[in-house]
């Protein structure tokens, strides 16, 4: 029945590992700003290339005029 | 075109609009930003959020001091091997487009390697190579796209700011231990006489012990420290019974497992500390981007241009400015010291200091006070006093600014804590004495049980959750408080004192009255056309109220900075400006700002700009007057006493010609018999705001700077002030009701404790149950109260 020692050891190790991960994440500043990353993750590489710039602009002005 | 809005910033384009690339822009500044963005592939800026931009201000030579390497050295966080890292505060960050464009800064200049925005703090952290780039270039680049950073003297003196994350660590430790201990103690809750469980009981118990050690000695240490401090200053605060409870829990549990008497209360212990810390965490979150401790330092520039005797210009740190130095004040720079004007026409905006928005004009030889902002052209001044000796800065020497209001205020929880501790100790002693006579072996068990079960976890949670939640509700309605404690103080207010200029009156809307000979239609049209060309704030306001649609072409236009403007069309000329410029003697008794007009060198009359009172001021006073004394303190003369008496109620006390120190003394005098709320806006109220029990700064734009205070109220929500005070009072009632609720739990628990039947499982159920029900009750109650606020607004 000493298998329970093994199980306990595993359970504590897993728990401590997660706790260590938490401490590291706090230390690296992940909890300092909890808002900006939520916005940042929604951005993709939205840099407009020069060649399709003109029709992008047209789309936008259409969208704009419907807004108004 | 008349009803179009700017593609960049969303402002009304009016008649000044610029058309470019099939889009309307309100000004050339906005158009330039658009050009910069589109030519660098950043046009997505406008897709993430439409019309998100900010009109860039003209910066010109303002940041020349960044050429001084010593100053740059002080500002940057990291500076080695051609790489610099700097955090800049940018008040105009407001939406996701801002984040996007600022994090793509490298598109605008290849030397920028990384830029990261912290939205709640409104700061940006930029890493750049110094090879062909500099801090000054970065600041100018940000300025050119409408994100001008704010660099003030405060930043210069800033020590290495360490982020305090200890509460998160402690919360993590307690939560981690709580979960694990709960798991380990679970088998013993049911007390099954199972062979294997009995066999390994000891292992489980010592594991729990091990997990509770960091909770008691790390996560819970603040409670011991606070209790010790309280006892030393002979105060029984709420932390005393908490510390006592935690300590008893730990010692009793340890003894229990050492002598194999039971499984101990480690689950309750860790749970208790976890819930307490959760309450603290909930209360702690405030508004990172607002600063409530500003003093003159955050208004002042870091450096100023000094003229050497040879006539050369040099940038010096303002603490190094000495009496007798000649310094240059450029357009839109703040005068950091008291000085005498030597050269140039001063047009000084003292709104930081007095709250008075209209600029004053000064001629050479006159004295200028620190804190004013030059609106006109370059000035040359001679320093009269060093920075720390100047009139404005001396106010901060007052001891009131180093006093901490929170530590002098006994909160509701602490006052309950005192009675609570005494009661608990009495019950514990009585029960122990009873058991000593009846069955001595149970005495220690009962004594510790009482201390454990009476640990005021729920009481300690009531205030943080009620006030923390109310703080957030207030925040949603643009009333930002420094901390939750302010709500409790606000509930005790019985006297409210208001500043006049900038608080009761608004800086935004001016009532403009014309006095003098009536202008002909042609003259009005000419006047309006002339004003159209000028960017001066007074011209703009005047332009907006003149009713004339006949826009003519000007043959000639001249702007004399600091004096006025002149326009000429069809042999007629018109002059608008100061009395001296137009050719009239200024009337000496003038209390308000006026602009004089002359047509064909013939003085016609003047436009007088008067302050208007905020909407609903009478209502606010009526509502507040029902349950408190009211007063008005003003730095102005008593010219408007009659009018004020009419708008406000008869009982309102009024004091005029009050200097900043007078205001402070006035509040101090009132405090002998009253609890005083001060509502102000400018730096001149700073002393009074600090002295009062609660100081609230009213602000037209919360991102612009307001003086040190306990709360910042958005000017548009001024009329909600009576409601906020009422809600604070209701919050205190909610806390009291929570106390009652938690007392019920305590009575039930005490029954078990006194009769000697307290099993760990009962404690383990009762404690979280009481804590959670308090949290639920306070959250529901405050949200219900907050709803009332929303209904009013609609």
């Amino acid at each position: 029945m000493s298998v329970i020692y093994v199980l306990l050891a595993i359970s504590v190790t897993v728990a401590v590992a997660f706790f260590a991960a938490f401490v590291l994440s706090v230390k690296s500043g992940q909890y300092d700003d909890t808002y900006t990353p939520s916005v940042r993750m929604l951005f993709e590489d939205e840099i407009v290339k020069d060649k399709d710039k003109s029709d992008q602009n047209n789309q936008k002005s259409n969208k704009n005029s419907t807004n108004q | 075109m008349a009803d179009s809005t700017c593609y960049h910033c969303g402002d009304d384009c009016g008649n000044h609009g610029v058309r470019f690339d099939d889009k309307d822009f309100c000004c050339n500044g906005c158009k330039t930003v658009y050009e910069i963005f589109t030519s660098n592939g950043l046009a997505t800026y406008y897709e993430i959020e439409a019309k998100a931009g900010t009109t860039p201000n003209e910066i010109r030579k303002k940041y020349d001091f960044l050429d001084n390497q010593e100053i740059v050295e002080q500002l940057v966080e990291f500076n080695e091997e051609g790489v610099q890292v700097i955090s800049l505060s940018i008040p105009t960050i407001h939406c996701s487009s801002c984040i996007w464009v600022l994090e793509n800064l490298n598109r605008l200049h290849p030397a920028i390697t990384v830029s990261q925005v912290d939205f709640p703090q409104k700061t940006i952290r930029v890493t750049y190579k110094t090879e062909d780039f500099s801090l000054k270039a970065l600041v100018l680049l940000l300025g050119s796209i409408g994100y001008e950073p704010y660099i003030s003297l405060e930043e210069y003196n800033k020590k290495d700011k360490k982020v305090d994350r200890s509460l998160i660590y402690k919360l993590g430790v307690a939560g981690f231990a709580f979960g694990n201990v709960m798991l380990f103690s679970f088998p013993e809750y049911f007390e099954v006489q199972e062979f294997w469980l009995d066999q390994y009981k000891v292992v489980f118990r010592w594991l729990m012990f091990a997990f509770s050690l960091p909770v008691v000695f790390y996560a819970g240490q603040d409670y011991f420290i606070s209790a010790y401090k309280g006892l030393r200053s002979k105060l029984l605060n709420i932390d005393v019974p908490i510390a006592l409870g935690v300590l008893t829990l730990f010692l009793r549990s340890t003894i229990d497992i050492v002598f194999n008497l039971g499984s101990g209360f480690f689950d309750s212990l860790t749970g208790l500390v976890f819930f307490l810390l959760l309450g603290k965490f909930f209360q702690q979150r405030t508004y990172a981007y607002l600063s409530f401790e500003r003093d003159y330092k955050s208004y002042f520039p870091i450096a100023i241009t000094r003229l050497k005797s040879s006539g050369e210009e040099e940038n010096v740190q303002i603490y190094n400015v000495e009496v007798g130095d000649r310094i240059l004040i450029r357009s839109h720079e703040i005068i950091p010291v008291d000085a005498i004007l030597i050269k140039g026409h001063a047009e000084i905006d003292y709104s930081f200091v007095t709250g008075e928005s209209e600029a004053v004009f000064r001629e050479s030889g006159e004295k200028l006070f620190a804190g004013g902002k030059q609106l006109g052209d370059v000035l040359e001044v001679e320093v009269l006093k060093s920075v720390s000796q100047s009139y404005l800065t001396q106010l901060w020497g007052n001891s009131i600014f180093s006093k901490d209001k929170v530590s002098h205020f006994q909160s509701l929880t602490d006052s309950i804590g005192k009675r609570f501790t005494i009661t608990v100790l009495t019950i514990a002693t009585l029960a122990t004495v009873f058991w000593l006579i009846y069955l001595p072996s149970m005495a220690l068990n009962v004594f510790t049980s009482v201390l454990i079960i009476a640990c005021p976890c729920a009481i300690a949670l009531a205030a943080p959750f009620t006030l923390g939640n109310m703080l957030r509700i207030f925040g949603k309605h643009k009333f930002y408080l420094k901390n939750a404690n302010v709500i409790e103080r606000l509930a005790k207010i019985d006297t409210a004192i208001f500043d006049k200029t900038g608080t009761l009156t608004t800086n935004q809307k001016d009532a403009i009255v014309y006095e003098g000979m009536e202008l002909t239609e042609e003259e009005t049209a000419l006047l309006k056309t002339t004003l159209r060309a000028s960017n001066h704030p007074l011209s703009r306001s005047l332009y907006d109220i003149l009713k004339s649609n006949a826009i003519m072409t000007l043959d000639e236009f001249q702007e004399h900075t600091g004096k006025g403007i002149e326009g000429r069309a069809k042999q007629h000329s018109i002059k608008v400006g100061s009395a001296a410029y137009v050719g009239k003697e200024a009337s000496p008794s003038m209390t308000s700002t006026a602009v004089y007009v002359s047509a064909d060198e013939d003085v016609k009359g003047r436009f007088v700009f008067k302050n208007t009172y905020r909407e609903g001021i009478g209502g606010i006073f009526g509502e507040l007057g029902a349950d408190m004394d009211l007063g008005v303190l003003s730095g102005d003369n008593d010219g408007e006493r009659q009018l004020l008496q009419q708008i406000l109620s008869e009982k309102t006390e009024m004091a005029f010609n009050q200097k900043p120190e007078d205001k402070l003394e006035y509040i101090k005098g009132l405090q002998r018999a009253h609890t005083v709320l001060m509502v102000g806006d400018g730096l001149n109220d700073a002393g009074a705001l600090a002295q009062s029990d609660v100081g609230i700064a009213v602000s037209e734009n919360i991102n612009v700077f307001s003086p040190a205070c306990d709360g910042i109220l958005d000017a548009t929500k001024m009329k909600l002030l009576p409601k906020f005070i009422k809600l604070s009072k209701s919050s205190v009632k909610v806390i009291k009701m929570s106390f009652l609720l938690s007392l019920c739990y305590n009575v039930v628990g005490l029954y078990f404790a006194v009769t000697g039947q307290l099993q760990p499982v009962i404690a383990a159920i009762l404690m979280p149950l009481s804590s959670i029900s308090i949290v639920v009750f306070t959250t529901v109650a405050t949200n219900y109260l907050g709803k009332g606020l929303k209904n009013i607004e609609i």
Side-chain angles (χ1 to χ4, degrees), chain B residues 525-534 554 557 565-567 574:
Chain B
L526 181 59
L527 177 60
K528 188 154 181 171
T529 318
T530 311
L531 289 169
R532 189 183 155 191
S534 166
L554 289 182
F557 171 78
I565 48 176
E566 185 178 1
I574 200 144

Side-chain angles (χ1 to χ4, degrees), chain A residues 32 36 40 46-48 64, chain B residues 7 41 44 103 107 119 165:
Chain A
D32 293 352
T36 326
R40 193 179 295 136
E46 279 142 329
I47 308 298
V48 183
N64 231 25
Chain B
Y7 185 65
T44 321
E103 298 203 333
R107 287 262 142 190
F119 189 80
R165 304 185 184 121

Side-chain angles (χ1 to χ4, degrees), chain B residues 39-52:
Chain B
S39 60
N40 287 287
L42 292 174
T44 321
Y45 179 78
Y46 299 100
E47 293 193 348
I48 296 169
E49 215 139 313
K51 296 168 184 174

Side-chain angles (χ1 to χ4, degrees), chain B residues 447-520:
Chain B
F447 182 70
T448 49
S449 297
V450 171
L451 290 188
I452 288 169
I453 207 68
C455 187
C457 179
I459 289 185
L461 285 181
F465 276 93
T466 313
L467 300 180
N469 213 6
M470 207 37 109
L471 196 74
R472 251 169 289 272
I473 292 171
F474 282 2
K476 267 183 212 154
H477 294 88
K478 298 188 177 171
F479 182 33
Y480 308 93
L481 295 179
K482 187 174 164 187
N483 53 41
N485 183 277
V486 178
I487 299 179
E488 253 185 83
R489 277 186 274 148
L490 203 54
K492 291 208 165 147
I493 293 304
D494 61 11
T495 308
I497 305 294
F498 291 79
D499 169 54
K500 186 179 78 80
T501 322
T503 307
L504 297 182
T505 62
T506 161
N507 300 337
Q508 306 260 298
K509 253 188 297 174
D510 285 309
I512 304 172
V513 188
Y514 180 72
E515 293 167 2
M517 282 180 277
E518 208 172 316
L519 296 172
T520 63

Side-chain angles (χ1 to χ4, degrees), chain B residues 26-44:
Chain B
C26 66
C27 59
N28 273 315
C30 287
K31 192 200 90 180
T32 313
V33 181
Y34 172 81
E35 275 183 287
I36 295 174
F37 284 166
T38 42
S39 60
N40 287 287
L42 292 174
T44 321

